[in-house]
Every structure is written in structure tokens, then in C-alpha cells.
């Protein structure tokens, strides 16, 4: 007897399982690729002020901040640079640009200035004081001696670069040479942070998919020759599997804070609840769908607040938002598996 081929439904379940397993390790994949290349560039006083500002947290590159601003918007800063100070009302765009500019020094038109700023919170009035200083004065003020530098910064200076996640950027002095230690690309850091956040958010999503796939497989293989469409009760059982699946995944593969044992299962539950929503959509029970969605959202946010306090409310809200978006896929499975098949064959196993 020739073995029967798996049905499209069975293939779809295993496809969801594979996607879920891959997604379950999204955070681990992101974390293993978080390293960034930091370079140590030798700079002499007066050279590469923009690179010095990029490396130091005590210097702001004002040229970069104002590069896309018109001459009229830049005029108050130009006045302060030329005359030592400016006090008056400025264009709102410049007020916004300067509002958070708390720094000791700035680089403006390639020169270093000692910077002092007072900004009104209620109006666009600002008071700017700019006193030009020598590059040597600035470098001596912000530089850290090589002997006091962190080990990773020393490694970057010795070899020219180092690849790691946590390297302390800054200006370091070895003998008569200054080194600007900074990421090779600021964009690289932003990309790593975004990928880490996405990995953190998608891990419980993957585990929610795994729970739905395992639940659907259990119902299909309990009696593969009989059409057993999903009911609301059965879909609730499928969705509930997300909690133990996510909890076990957190326990076995992650060694994080207690919060992960709350946010992970709760996020996975929202995702897996899409299968229940799909059954309700198939049955056209719109009020029940609205009530169930509200109940799950309240349950997740409430549990997060009880376990983690105010921050739990924010994490719970994020879990609901991400879960509703990614729960569209389980919703589709709920609609499809909530319907009777028009024909049953041995191949439907």
C-alpha cells in the first residue's frame, strides 16, 4: 500500500511549528551578534575635532547638529561665537535643537568653544555663552590617562581596534598622543539595539506559534481519520498551552530576571489567543470576539502590573500590542481549522 501524502493542513501546521521554533530563539540570535567594532584614532590638538566630539561625551559637534539649518536659524549661534554671547528669542526650530544641549564644550565651524546655555521652558528665549578655547585645553580637560583607561579601551589603543559590545568610548592620552576611541559606525550600534529589541519581542511570539502548532497537531493525530474542527473550547486549550511552553522555554534557555518569567508567557498567550479569535470570527460571534480580546488584554496587563508594578503595565501594554499584530497568523489558523473539511481522505492525516 502506497503511503498517503500529508495534507495541506498538516503541512501548514508543521510550517507554523518550524517558524515558531526559529522565532523562539530570535533573542539568542540577536544577542550573539551584538558586538560592535570600536576604533582608536590618534589625534593631535586641532585635528579631526568632529572625531574627537564623536568619541567624547563632554563635547558636542554643533556643526553636525546645525548642518541642515538655514542661515537665519543659525544666526544666534553665529552671533554668540563671534561676540561671546547671545541672549534673546530664537526660532522655534533652533530652540528645539538646543533644548537638550548640556555639555562643557562644542565644536563649531571647526573650532572648540566653552559652552554655557540657558533655555526657557515657557518661551523660545535662550542665553548662549561661547568662549573659544584651544584644542589642547579641551583635550587635556576631557582626556583620561592611558593607565586609568578600561581594559577594552586599552586593547583598542594597542591594536587599533577592538570588537565588543561594551567598550567605553572617550578620549585617552598615552604619552603625548591622544586617542579617540569610538564605534566605527554609530549606525551599527543603533542596528544592534534594534535587532536586540526585535529579538526580545519576537521570542515569545515564536513560542506562541509553537504552542498553537503543538495544540493543532494533538487534535489532528488523536484521531486522524475524523474531521474534528476547532471549537471555542478546543481553541482555548490550544491557546493555554502558550503559558507552559513559554515558561519552559524561559527556564531552559534563558537566565534572565524574574520579569522574563512573567512577560514571556503573557506575551506568548496573547499571540496564541489569536487561534481563539479565529474560531470566533469563523462563527461570526463578534461580541464574543470583542469581549475575549478585552479579557486577554486586561489579564496580561493586570498580571504584569501585579508582578512587576508600573513597569509591568508598560511591558504588558507592549505585549498586547505586539501580540495583536503577530496573532494574525494564529487567527488565520483558527478560521481555517474552525471549519469542517468538505472531503475526508486518508491523506488528511
Amino acid at each position: 500500500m502506497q503511503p498517503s501524502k500529508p495534507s495541506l493542513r498538516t503541512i501548514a501546521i508543521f510550517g507554523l511549528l518550524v517558524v515558531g521554533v526559529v522565532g523562539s530563539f530570535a533573542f539568542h540570535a540577536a544577542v550573539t551578534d551584538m558586538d560592535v567594532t570600536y576604533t582608536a584614532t590618534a589625534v593631535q590638538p586641532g585635528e579631526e575635532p568632529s572625531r574627537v566630539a564623536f568619541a567624547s561625551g563632554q563635547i558636542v559637534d554643533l556643526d553636525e547638529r546645525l548642518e541642515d539649518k538655514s542661515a537665519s536659524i543659525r544666526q544666534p549661534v553665529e552671533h554668540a561665537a563671534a561676540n561671546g554671547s547671545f541672549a534673546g528669542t530664537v526660532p522655534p526650530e533652533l530652540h528645539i535643537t538646543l533644548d537638550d544641549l548640556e555639555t562643557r564644550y562644542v565644536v563649531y565651524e571647526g573650532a572648540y568653544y566653552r559652552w554655557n546655555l540657558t533655555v526657557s521652558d515657557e518661551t523660545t528665549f535662550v542665553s548662549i555663552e561661547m568662549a573659544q578655547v584651544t584644542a589642547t585645553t579641551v583635550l587635556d580637560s576631557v582626556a583620561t590617562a592611558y593607565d586609568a583607561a578600561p581594559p577594552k579601551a586599552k586593547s583598542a589603543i594597542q591594536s587599533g581596534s577592538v570588537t565588543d559590545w561594551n567598550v567605553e568610548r572617550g578620549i585617552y592620552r598615552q604619552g603625548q598622543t591622544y586617542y579617540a576611541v569610538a564605534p566605527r559606525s554609530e549606525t551599527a550600534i543603533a542596528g544592534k539595539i534594534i535587532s536586540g529589541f526585535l529579538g526580545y519581542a519576537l521570542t515569545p511570539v515564536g513560542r506562541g506559534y509553537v504552542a498553537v502548532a503543538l495544540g493543532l497537531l494533538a487534535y489532528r493525530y488523536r484521531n486522524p481519520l475524523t474531521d474534528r474542527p476547532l471549537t471555542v473550547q478546543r481553541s482555548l486549550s490550544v491557546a493555554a498551552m502558550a503559558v507552559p511552553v513559554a515558561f519552559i522555554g524561559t527556564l531552559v534557555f534563558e537566565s534572565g530576571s524574574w520579569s522574563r518569567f512573567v512577560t514571556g508567557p503573557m506575551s506568548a498567550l496573547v499571540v496564541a489567543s489569536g487561534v481563539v479569535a479565529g474560531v470566533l470570527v469563523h462563527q461570526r460571534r463578534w461580541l464574543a470576539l470583542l469581549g475575549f480580546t478585552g479579557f486577554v488584554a486586561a489579564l496580561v496587563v493586570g498580571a504584569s502590573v501585579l508582578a512587576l508594578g508600573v513597569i509591568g503595565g508598560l511591558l504588558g501594554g507592549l505585549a498586547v500590542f505586539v501580540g495583536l499584530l503577530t496573532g494574525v497568523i494564529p487567527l488565520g489558523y483558527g478560521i481555517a481549522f474552525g471549519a469542517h473539511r468538505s472531503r475526508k481522505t486518508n491523506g488528511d492525516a
Side-chain angles (χ1 to χ4, degrees), residues 58-285:
Q58 301 177 61
I59 308 171
V60 171
D61 189 348
L62 203 55
D63 291 325
E64 182 182 24
R65 285 212 175 191
L66 298 175
E67 66 178 350
D68 60 342
K69 303 296 187 290
S70 65
S72 61
I73 293 176
R74 297 166 62 105
Q75 194 278 329
V77 176
E78 293 179 359
H79 184 279
N83 299 281
S85 65
F86 170 87
T89 300
V90 299
E93 188 175 354
L94 180 61
H95 186 273
I96 294 172
T97 301
L98 300 180
D99 187 39
D100 62 343
L101 193 54
E102 298 178 0
T103 184
R104 295 174 60 187
Y105 302 101
V106 298
V107 172
Y108 184 66
E109 294 187 344
Y112 291 99
Y113 291 83
R114 184 174 284 109
W115 175 265
N116 186 39
L117 173 71
T118 302
V119 179
S120 172
D121 293 331
E122 298 178 356
T123 66
T124 60
F125 181 89
V126 302
S127 174
I128 305 172
E129 294 180 5
M130 295 177 67
Q132 188 168 354
V133 292
T134 65
T136 301
T137 298
V138 175
L139 290 175
D140 285 342
S141 176
V142 303
T144 300
Y146 175 82
D147 292 340
K152 294 174 183 176
K154 288 183 178 179
S155 297
I157 293 170
Q158 292 168 0
S159 61
S161 66
V162 64
T163 300
D164 206 304
W165 167 243
N166 186 23
V167 177
E168 187 172 336
R169 70 166 69 191
I171 306 300
Y172 300 93
R173 180 174 182 175
Q174 185 180 34
Q176 298 302 312
T177 305
Y178 299 91
Y179 292 90
V181 176
R184 180 172 292 170
S185 170
E186 194 74 59
T187 306
I189 291 184
K192 300 295 183 181
I193 293 174
I194 293 173
S195 65
F197 174 77
L198 290 177
Y200 180 88
L202 292 179
T203 293
V205 172
R207 289 170 183 169
Y209 290 171
V210 168
V212 172
L214 293 177
L216 293 176
L217 282 174
Y219 277 117
R220 283 186 72 72
Y221 283 96
R222 180 179 296 179
N223 190 345
L225 299 180
T226 303
D227 184 15
R228 305 180 76 226
L230 278 180
T231 62
V232 172
Q233 182 176 357
R234 290 171 181 168
S235 62
L236 285 171
S237 299
V238 170
M241 289 184 64
V243 175
V245 166
F247 188 88
I248 293 172
T250 301
L251 183 65
V252 174
F253 299 106
E254 298 165 16
S255 57
S257 63
W258 161 249
S259 64
R260 193 60 176 166
F261 286 92
V262 177
T263 58
M266 289 296 98
S267 299
L269 178 62
V270 179
V271 176
S273 294
V275 73
V276 182
V279 173
L280 293 173
V281 168
H282 172 71
Q283 297 178 357
R284 300 181 183 277
R285 297 172 59 182

Side-chain angles (χ1 to χ4, degrees), residues 298-312:
L299 174 65
V300 171
V301 174
S304 299
V305 170
L306 288 176
L308 306 172
V310 176
I311 188 64

